[in-house]
Amino acid sequence: MSDAAIRATDLSLTFQTNDGPVHALKDVSLEINKGDFVSFIGPSGCGKTTFLRCMADLEHPTSGSITVNGQTAEQARKSRAYGYVFQHAGLYPWRTIGGNIRLPLEIMGYSKADHSDRVARVLSLVDLNGFENKYPWQLSGGMQQRASIARALAFDADILLMDEPFGALDEIVRDHLNEQLLKLWAKAEKTICFVTHSIPEAVYLSTKIVVMSPRPGRISDVIDSPLPKERPLDIRDTPEFLEIAHRVRDGLRAGHSYD
Amino acid sequence: MTKTMPAVIAVLFGLLCFWFLAVAPMNIRVALDQADRAGAEVMPATAVARRDTSVWRLMSDNRAYVRDGYYLDRPRLPTPLQVGREFWKTTGAMVLKGRTWSKRSLIFHGWVTLQSTLWGFLLGTAIGITAAVAIVYARVAEMAIMPWAVISQAVPIVALAPMIIVLTSQVGIDGRGFPKAVISAYLSFFPVLVGMVKGLRSPAVEQLDLLKTYNAQGFQSFMKLRLPASIPYLFTSLKVAIAAALVGAIVGELPTGAIRGLGARILIGDQFGTPLAIWSALFAAAILAGVLVTLLDGIQRLVLRRMGMQA
């Protein structure tokens, strides 16, 4: 088997709407290696979320193929190959933070004895020690989002799919979470696919940046980041960083039709 | 709570005042008829002439008899005090005399009605929840059940109640208990059905997608997501349903033949022309409804707090 965590070949997805067909994705081909941190960036409607949902088997491509860990997306979902983090934390209000993290463990049938160890481990990964017995409404938005990341890490999936998880948070909290996410990625050795609107976020986090453009949704540029794995926040002021950011911005501009 | 108390009391006091004042015009005719029969001089002198005169005119022409309207044995509209006294006579006073379960005691009749209410409420809730689950999980069920459920509530229950009583006795079920519970259930299942359908469908798409990424089975997503998410909706519906169940039980006691229950008291009071009995039975029903709803409200707070949701 190859080293690819995700491989999409000529992937197309067309939604039939009342206003005619919408080409959410058209002939998208991409290979993501194990251990990559890949960001998908592009304007609204470029299909980045749809692409992520195809990987998760939440959407079904009209044509082309996609494999996750060498399996079909459906097999991968059924073998629980990935954790998914949604735009909204979506924690169950009737469960404590610990209870929310236990949710996938209960559903997947992990042994009870295992639960508390795993909860404690992922809570410390996202720096939420001591919040196990708090309810979601007692936490700030950023903390809730961290708890939802912990929930996706609690079971043994080696792929993490994240759909604009920090989109609704303010700049400072976002910086902090980005830094933590990088540390977590280094520690947990996962493949991460990360959808975002923000150029600095994409460049700061990724080993590979996929720039997408809309109508039809397609990939306009793939940038392999030359930045080192170790990235302090002030790396964002280095010329290398700015150069990549510039290239991302060019890619976005080229794909944007301004009509 | 303490802040709103004066406002609540003020409104209550206002209503009582309005009621008390309304007694005068409502009872003036009866008061004048009574005085007329006793040989007193009233204006106009004959009952026929009085029928064509407005109550305001009667009151201004016969000021001396306005006061009598407040002391009638069979008033059109009893005073709050009369109702209170009658209510006490048929509840508290009975208890003090050790005759709580006498046929004249509203506690006895209330208990009869309460039993049917609770059975009907349980039955209606069970039916409502079952139907809601079917509707949420099967499109066919939605098309098959929902229109009938809506239509069922448009049929006047007063027309249906006697039929249910007759039909249940045809299949050999004696006594009023069962048909009354059926009528109660008929009225109470609907709010539960509507509330639970909404509640079971309340989880956001993202939350359902999340379970899909876990490859959760249908039963798991029901138990872990849909059911807990529907609890606040359920309680809101239950409070409506229990009041409806009480109405159903009382309506079930109205068709002639019933001698037990608040509905029977109301009917008998009407037949024998004892308005005080009707009014105190109405108050008993209102108090019972208030107690039941308050009880459910308390349970709701308790449950939601246990579930960690801010209530």
Side-chain angles (χ1 to χ4, degrees):
Chain A
M1 212 161 62
S2 79
D3 218 23
I6 290 158
R7 176 181 286 131
T9 320
D10 297 329
L11 200 69
S12 295
L13 196 154
T14 310
F15 290 112
Q16 297 299 338
T17 69
N18 289 335
D19 301 330
V22 171
H23 301 282
L25 289 173
K26 189 148 175 62
D27 300 327
V28 170
S29 297
L30 183 71
E31 195 163 310
I32 295 170
N33 293 325
K34 286 209 166 102
D36 269 351
F37 194 126
V38 185
S39 283
F40 297 85
I41 188 166
S44 307
C46 71
K48 52 196 192 300
T49 293
T50 309
F51 192 17
L52 203 69
R53 289 174 63 85
C54 283
M55 298 175 196
D57 189 41
L58 294 173
E59 300 289 354
H60 306 289
T62 333
S63 68
S65 71
I66 185 160
T67 62
V68 177
N69 281 348
Q71 302 170 298
T72 67
E74 190 188 354
Q75 284 167 344
R77 177 174 67 81
K78 289 192 168 156
S79 61
R80 287 137 177 175
Y82 63 85
Y84 201 105
V85 179
F86 290 88
Q87 200 166 353
H88 307 287
L91 301 171
Y92 291 2
W94 56 86
R95 281 173 174 255
T96 58
I97 298 305
N100 269 289
I101 294 170
R102 269 190 293 273
L103 176 74
L105 303 178
E106 288 167 14
I107 289 174
M108 296 177 188
Y110 282 82
S111 78
K112 277 256 155 55
D114 216 8
H115 287 190
S116 47
D117 280 356
R118 283 174 180 271
V119 170
R121 182 172 58 82
V122 292
L123 276 178
S124 78
L125 269 180
V126 297
D127 206 9
L128 277 180
N129 299 305
F131 286 91
E132 185 177 348
N133 295 321
K134 291 268 188 284
Y135 281 99
W137 58 268
Q138 294 170 302
L139 270 63
S140 70
M143 288 161 102
Q144 288 187 23
Q145 197 52 273
R146 264 144 67 196
S148 92
I149 294 171
R151 181 176 60 184
L153 293 171
F155 52 100
D156 303 316
D158 47 14
I159 299 172
L160 196 56
L161 305 176
M162 307 177 84
D163 185 6
E164 283 186 56
F166 310 139
L169 305 175
D170 69 62
E171 201 72 26
I172 311 277
V173 176
R174 193 184 252 229
D175 277 354
H176 179 62
L177 291 185
N178 281 341
E179 213 178 358
Q180 281 189 313
L181 182 60
L182 265 192
K183 283 191 189 133
L184 194 149
W185 170 64
K187 243 191 282 183
E189 295 175 338
K190 306 226 175 207
T191 310
I192 297 183
C193 296
F194 188 94
V195 167
T196 180
H197 265 119
S198 151
I199 296 174
E201 188 171 69
V203 178
Y204 176 68
L205 290 172
S206 319
T207 56
K208 192 197 279 275
I209 302 156
V210 178
V211 184
M212 297 183 73
S213 59
R215 281 179 293 274
R218 63 197 184 279
I219 293 174
S220 51
D221 197 5
V222 177
I223 302 161
D224 285 302
S225 173
L227 297 178
K229 229 182 156 175
E230 198 71 29
R231 298 175 188 181
L233 271 175
D234 51 21
I235 200 170
R236 295 181 296 184
D237 300 325
T238 62
E240 291 88 350
F241 186 96
L242 295 174
E243 195 183 316
I244 305 165
H246 191 77
R247 192 174 150 192
V248 173
R249 188 167 287 116
D250 280 348
L252 285 174
R253 203 169 286 151
H256 212 289
S257 45
Y258 293 110
D259 46 13
Chain B
M1 186 68 194
T2 44
K3 254 186 197 167
T4 55
M5 227 34 203
V8 171
I9 289 171
V11 169
L12 193 67
F13 185 73
L15 285 172
L16 276 175
C17 284
F18 177 73
W19 179 2
F20 195 79
L21 290 175
V23 169
M26 289 295 144
N27 288 344
I28 186 70
R29 287 178 205 280
V30 185
L32 291 179
D33 286 348
Q34 193 178 292
D36 192 11
R37 273 197 299 277
E41 286 267 325
V42 297
M43 272 276 293
T46 67
V48 179
R50 282 198 295 275
R51 201 179 303 148
D52 294 332
T53 315
S54 80
V55 287
W56 315 111
R57 183 72 195 278
L58 289 175
M59 280 163 66
S60 66
D61 287 351
N62 304 281
R63 298 202 177 178
Y65 297 103
V66 170
R67 204 172 159 274
D68 287 1
Y70 287 83
Y71 299 98
L72 299 172
D73 284 339
R74 295 184 172 186
R76 288 276 186 280
L77 177 67
T79 64
L81 201 66
Q82 283 177 310
V83 173
R85 215 181 281 136
E86 170 74 10
F87 186 75
W88 169 252
K89 213 170 77 188
T90 46
T91 53
M94 296 298 247
V95 175
L96 293 183
K97 277 190 275 177
R99 296 178 57 213
T100 310
W101 304 106
S102 133
K103 290 235 172 347
R104 281 181 41 74
S105 158
L106 278 183
I107 295 175
F108 164 74
H109 292 288
W111 169 241
V112 170
T113 304
L114 177 66
Q115 281 175 317
S116 306
T117 304
L118 291 180
W119 281 116
F121 173 69
L122 285 180
L123 188 64
T125 303
I127 294 171
I129 292 176
T130 313
V133 172
I135 284 173
V136 168
Y137 277 92
R139 178 113 187 83
V140 179
E142 171 157 28
M143 290 189 292
I145 298 172
M146 213 51 187
W148 294 109
V150 174
I151 290 168
S152 76
Q153 300 304 298
V155 177
I157 191 68
V158 227
L160 214 56
M163 292 185 216
I164 293 175
I165 293 169
V166 168
L167 291 179
T168 48
S169 76
Q170 286 306 304
V171 293
I173 296 164
D174 291 324
R176 285 286 179 130
F178 182 73
K180 270 160 61 186
V182 170
I183 296 163
S184 278
Y186 187 91
L187 287 187
S188 60
F189 89 95
F190 189 67
V192 177
L193 170 67
V194 173
M196 276 305 273
V197 167
K198 200 161 161 36
L200 291 172
R201 282 185 178 155
S202 65
V205 179
E206 270 192 357
Q207 293 188 314
L208 291 165
D209 277 348
L210 179 72
L211 288 180
K212 205 172 164 200
T213 70
Y214 299 155
N215 192 29
Q217 305 306 305
F219 185 66
Q220 288 177 319
S221 47
F222 178 75
M223 291 306 289
K224 296 201 187 290
L225 176 58
R226 286 191 192 271
L227 194 62
S230 72
I231 296 300
Y233 294 83
L234 175 65
F235 273 104
T236 309
S237 306
L238 287 184
K239 283 189 271 185
V240 180
I242 193 118
L246 180 62
V247 170
I250 291 173
V251 169
E253 288 161 352
L254 281 180
T256 38
I259 47 166
R260 292 143 46 102
L262 294 176
R265 285 292 287 185
I266 292 169
L267 190 77
I268 292 167
D270 187 49
Q271 286 165 344
F272 289 84
T274 49
L276 286 179
I278 302 180
W279 279 84
S280 58
L282 284 179
F283 266 81
I287 290 168
L288 194 56
V291 168
L292 290 173
V293 172
T294 310
L295 212 64
L296 275 174
D297 197 59
I299 297 174
Q300 175 181 30
R301 277 164 205 275
L302 216 70
V303 169
L304 290 190
R305 195 165 304 155
R306 281 295 296 263
M307 286 175 79
M309 293 196 257
Q310 286 169 293

